[in-house]
């Protein structure tokens, strides 16, 4: 960390000025420091990765440090043609957009014998003649083409059970200048959501009604129009509904619309268990599924992302197939990825195939089955899941006998 202080002092006043005048001194501090983070990358099946080709790599998941995404690249056959696959290469790469990103790096190949004789290449804890390393743009890398002689690596304590373990540390350099704090007044957090929520609960000033399954929900046109572009068009656009005394909402259940209104006023999700009257994660997941579709329908991006995040956390056998179909239909790519990985696990696939949600997935999103099969193939190229009736497994559930789960509110 580097720190400097710049002071400016006004010269002494002349004798002609009042003796009460005093020199004015201002101060500021420049602070340069690193925002640090680390990632551990485990490479299993090392022997199977050999022969993929010089210049081809195995990548870790991306991880965030200092506001940038990073990834570790391991080259089993090396990065350079001239080395003729006699070395393995190891690099850390900038995986997000950035220009002239300055950082410190450390790459460690872990000794798995317990002797802690790790192979470490580090910028940390030592003076750097030319300062931190600068990555010019996305895809820029730091590391070693000749990280380790391959024949020595394969007889070392770094390789155990055909597995390597790499630890990477990144320190992104950040600079800022601080001046003196003249005052500090604590400011309350915004409570506009609480005020709007209380307005909804009181029913005062409502000027539009919605009917779902015989239940009436009163609201305020201006609030709905401010929060949702769809409601704005419906209530104030050229094709607006003129009968605002009772607008009938189709293809949505009353508890879902109630939760939708709660979010639009409070800017927060309601208590799902209280809303559904059921004390279970399954009920909360089911409500999040319905709310995700409603959020997409009314253009509520923040609500859609909140529901997507909740569904990612609560992936389960009984609900994952329906969630996967929703993710495909509403373009929730992160949620889709989480669901596909969950379903493709050998211990999960058969159980998921027994649910009604899987039948719905087959009928509504057949293309997802192809992606699912491809992902299963990457996990095990020889066998998907052992079958009680043979080695083959069809992703249609036709040979499975089991209780189906009805997913309704």
């Amino acid at each position: 960390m580097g720190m400097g202080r710049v002071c400016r002092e006004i010269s002494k006043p002349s004798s002609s000025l009042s003796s009460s005048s005093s020199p004015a001194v201002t101060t500021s501090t420049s602070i340069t420091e690193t925002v640090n983070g680390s990632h551990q990358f485990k490479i299993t099946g090392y022997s199977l990765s050999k022969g993929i080709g010089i210049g081809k790599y195995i990548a870790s998941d991306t991880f965030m440090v200092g506001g940038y995404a990073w990834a570790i690249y391991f080259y089993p056959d090396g990065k350079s043609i001239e080395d003729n696959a006699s070395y393995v290469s190891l690099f850390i790469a900038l995986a997000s957009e950035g220009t002239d990103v300055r950082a410190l790096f450390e790459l460690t190949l872990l000794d798995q014998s317990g002797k802690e004789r790790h192979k470490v290449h580090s910028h940390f804890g030592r003076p750097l003649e030319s300062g931190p390393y600068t990555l010019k743009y996305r895809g820029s890398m730091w590391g070693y083409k000749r990280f380790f002689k391959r024949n020595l690596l394969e007889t070392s304590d770094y390789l155990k059970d055909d597995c390597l373990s790499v630890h990477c540390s990144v320190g992104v350099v950040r600079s800022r200048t601080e001046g003196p704090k003249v005052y500090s007044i604590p400011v309350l957090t915004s409570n506009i959501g609480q005020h709007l929520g209380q307005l909804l609960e009181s029913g005062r000033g409502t000027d539009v009604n919605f009917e779902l399954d015989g239940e009436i929900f009163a609201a305020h046109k201006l609030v709905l129009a401010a929060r949702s572009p769809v409601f704005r068009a419906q209530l104030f656009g050229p094709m607006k509904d003129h009968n605002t005394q009772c607008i009938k909402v189709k293809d949505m259940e009353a508890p879902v619309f109630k939760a939708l209104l709660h979010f639009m006023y409070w800017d927060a999700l309601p208590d799902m268990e209280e809303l559904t009257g059921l004390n279970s994660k399954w009920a909360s997941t089911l409500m999040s599924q319905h709310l995700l579709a409603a959020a997409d329908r009314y253009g509520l991006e923040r609500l859609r992302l909140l529901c997507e995040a909740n569904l990612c956390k609560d992936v389960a056998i009984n609900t994952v197939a329906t969630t996967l179909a929703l993710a495909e239909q509403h373009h929730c790519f992160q949620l889709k990825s989480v669901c596909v990985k969950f379903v493709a696990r050998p211990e999960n696939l058969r159980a998921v195939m027994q649910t009604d949600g899987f039948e719905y997935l087959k009928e509504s999103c057949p293309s997802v089955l192809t992606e699912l099969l491809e992902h299963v193939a990457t996990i095990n190229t020889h066998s998907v899941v052992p079958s009680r009736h043979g080695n083959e497994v069809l992703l249609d559930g036709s040979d499975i006998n089991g209780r189906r789960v009805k997913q309704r509110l």
Side-chain angles (χ1 to χ4, degrees), residues 185-192 194-195:
I185 299 176
V187 179
L188 297 175
T189 57
S190 172
N191 56 1
I192 187 173
Q194 181 181 358
H195 290 160

Side-chain angles (χ1 to χ4, degrees), residues 198-209:
Q198 291 170 347
L199 178 65
L200 175 66
E201 290 180 350
S202 72
R204 290 192 299 268
T206 58
D207 54 1
V208 62
N209 295 298

Side-chain angles (χ1 to χ4, degrees), residues 320-334:
V320 65
T322 306
T323 300
L324 177 53
L326 282 170
E328 173 71 7
Q329 292 161 355
H330 299 285
H331 311 293
C332 303
F333 302 112
Q334 288 179 301

Side-chain angles (χ1 to χ4, degrees), residues 46 74-76 78 85-90 109 117-121 144-159 164:
Y46 162 77
F74 175 70
Y75 297 77
S86 57
Y87 289 87
V88 297
S89 304
L90 189 63
L109 184 61
R117 296 175 181 172
H118 310 306
K119 182 176 176 62
V120 183
H121 293 275
Y144 295 87
K145 292 181 181 179
R146 296 183 174 184
F147 185 78
F148 214 117
K149 194 87 170 175
R150 196 160 79 167
N151 59 349
L152 297 178
L153 173 65
E154 292 170 2
T155 58
S156 72
D157 289 331
Y158 303 111
L159 183 65
L164 297 170

Side-chain angles (χ1 to χ4, degrees), residues 24-239:
V25 179
T26 60
T27 64
S28 65
T29 303
S30 174
I31 302 172
T32 301
E33 58 192 357
T34 56
V35 179
N36 300 327
S38 61
H39 183 80
Q40 189 149 326
F41 182 32
K42 190 173 183 181
I43 303 164
T44 60
Y46 162 77
S47 60
L48 297 175
S49 70
K50 294 194 300 182
I52 66 172
I54 296 172
K56 295 184 177 180
Y57 58 82
I58 298 170
S60 71
D61 263 352
T62 57
F63 56 97
M64 299 297 296
V65 179
Y68 297 96
W70 306 89
I72 302 169
Y73 290 173
F74 175 70
Y75 297 77
D77 294 334
K79 194 172 186 292
S80 299
I81 296 176
E82 57 265 24
D83 290 331
N84 197 28
S86 57
Y87 289 87
V88 297
S89 304
L90 189 63
F91 285 83
I92 175 73
L94 179 63
S96 61
E97 296 300 330
T99 304
D100 294 332
V101 180
R102 301 174 69 236
L104 304 178
F105 301 106
E106 180 176 283
L107 286 171
T108 303
L109 184 61
L110 299 178
D111 179 357
Q112 301 187 76
S113 67
K115 301 173 185 176
E116 297 191 0
R117 296 175 181 172
H118 310 306
K119 182 176 176 62
V120 183
H121 293 275
S122 180
H123 288 155
F124 293 92
R126 63 184 180 90
L128 299 172
E129 291 183 7
S130 57
Y133 193 81
T134 300
L135 288 88
K136 295 291 186 183
Y137 44 78
R138 180 176 185 174
S140 298
M141 294 187 287
W142 174 87
Y144 295 87
K145 292 181 181 179
R146 296 183 174 184
F147 185 78
F148 214 117
K149 194 87 170 175
R150 196 160 79 167
N151 59 349
L152 297 178
L153 173 65
E154 292 170 2
T155 58
S156 72
D157 289 331
Y158 303 111
L159 183 65
K160 181 180 180 182
D161 299 328
D162 207 25
C163 170
L164 297 170
S165 190
V166 176
H167 186 272
C168 170
S169 294
V170 179
V172 177
V173 178
R174 290 286 178 83
S175 297
R176 69 182 189 277
T177 300
E178 292 185 352
K181 291 184 178 179
V182 180
Y183 58 82
S184 179
I185 299 176
V187 179
L188 297 175
T189 57
S190 172
N191 56 1
I192 187 173
Q194 181 181 358
H195 290 160
L196 290 175
Q198 291 170 347
L199 178 65
L200 175 66
E201 290 180 350
S202 72
R204 290 192 299 268
T206 58
D207 54 1
V208 62
N209 295 298
F210 297 90
E211 181 184 350
L212 295 91
D213 301 330
E215 192 170 349
I216 303 296
F217 296 91
H220 305 81
K221 289 192 286 187
L222 285 176
V223 175
L224 301 186
R227 298 285 279 155
S228 163
V230 177
F231 276 124
R232 190 180 310 131
Q234 184 178 12
L235 298 173
F236 294 102
M239 304 297 289

Side-chain angles (χ1 to χ4, degrees), residues 146-371:
R146 296 183 174 184
F147 185 78
F148 214 117
K149 194 87 170 175
R150 196 160 79 167
N151 59 349
L152 297 178
L153 173 65
E154 292 170 2
T155 58
S156 72
D157 289 331
Y158 303 111
L159 183 65
K160 181 180 180 182
D161 299 328
D162 207 25
C163 170
L164 297 170
S165 190
V166 176
H167 186 272
C168 170
S169 294
V170 179
V172 177
V173 178
R174 290 286 178 83
S175 297
R176 69 182 189 277
T177 300
E178 292 185 352
K181 291 184 178 179
V182 180
Y183 58 82
S184 179
I185 299 176
V187 179
L188 297 175
T189 57
S190 172
N191 56 1
I192 187 173
Q194 181 181 358
H195 290 160
L196 290 175
Q198 291 170 347
L199 178 65
L200 175 66
E201 290 180 350
S202 72
R204 290 192 299 268
T206 58
D207 54 1
V208 62
N209 295 298
F210 297 90
E211 181 184 350
L212 295 91
D213 301 330
E215 192 170 349
I216 303 296
F217 296 91
H220 305 81
K221 289 192 286 187
L222 285 176
V223 175
L224 301 186
R227 298 285 279 155
S228 163
V230 177
F231 276 124
R232 190 180 310 131
Q234 184 178 12
L235 298 173
F236 294 102
M239 304 297 289
K240 66 182 179 182
D241 283 307
H242 294 284
N243 181 21
T244 56
Q245 291 302 311
C246 186
I247 297 176
K248 293 189 177 182
V249 180
K250 299 179 180 179
D251 301 322
M252 188 180 300
E253 298 181 24
V256 179
F257 192 78
K258 183 177 181 181
L260 184 78
L261 285 181
H262 183 283
F263 173 81
M264 294 181 73
Y265 280 78
W266 290 90
D267 198 37
L269 289 172
D271 185 315
M272 298 297 196
E273 292 180 0
E274 181 181 329
L275 190 67
T276 59
L278 300 171
N279 184 19
S280 70
K281 272 192 175 182
W282 178 81
S284 297
T285 298
L286 196 54
M287 177 57 77
S288 293
Q289 290 174 341
H290 284 271
L291 260 184
L292 186 148
D296 195 35
R297 173 175 172 176
Y298 286 103
L300 299 170
E301 182 64 13
R302 174 171 148 75
L303 176 59
R304 190 181 72 83
L305 290 173
L306 283 171
C307 293
E308 187 175 356
N310 284 346
L311 291 169
C312 281
K313 289 188 296 185
D314 295 330
V315 177
I317 295 292
N318 287 344
T319 56
V320 65
T322 306
T323 300
L324 177 53
L326 282 170
E328 173 71 7
Q329 292 161 355
H330 299 285
H331 311 293
C332 303
F333 302 112
Q334 288 179 301
L335 178 59
K336 178 181 175 181
S337 175
V338 169
C339 291
V340 167
K341 289 178 182 178
F342 181 88
V343 176
R345 292 179 193 166
E347 66 271 24
N348 294 338
L349 182 58
R350 181 173 297 280
V352 172
M353 289 165 57
Q354 297 182 50
T355 65
D356 279 348
F358 192 79
E359 293 296 323
Y360 174 73
L361 177 66
K362 287 193 304 178
E363 294 170 5
S364 61
C365 307
S367 62
V368 174
L369 296 185
T370 303
E371 295 179 50

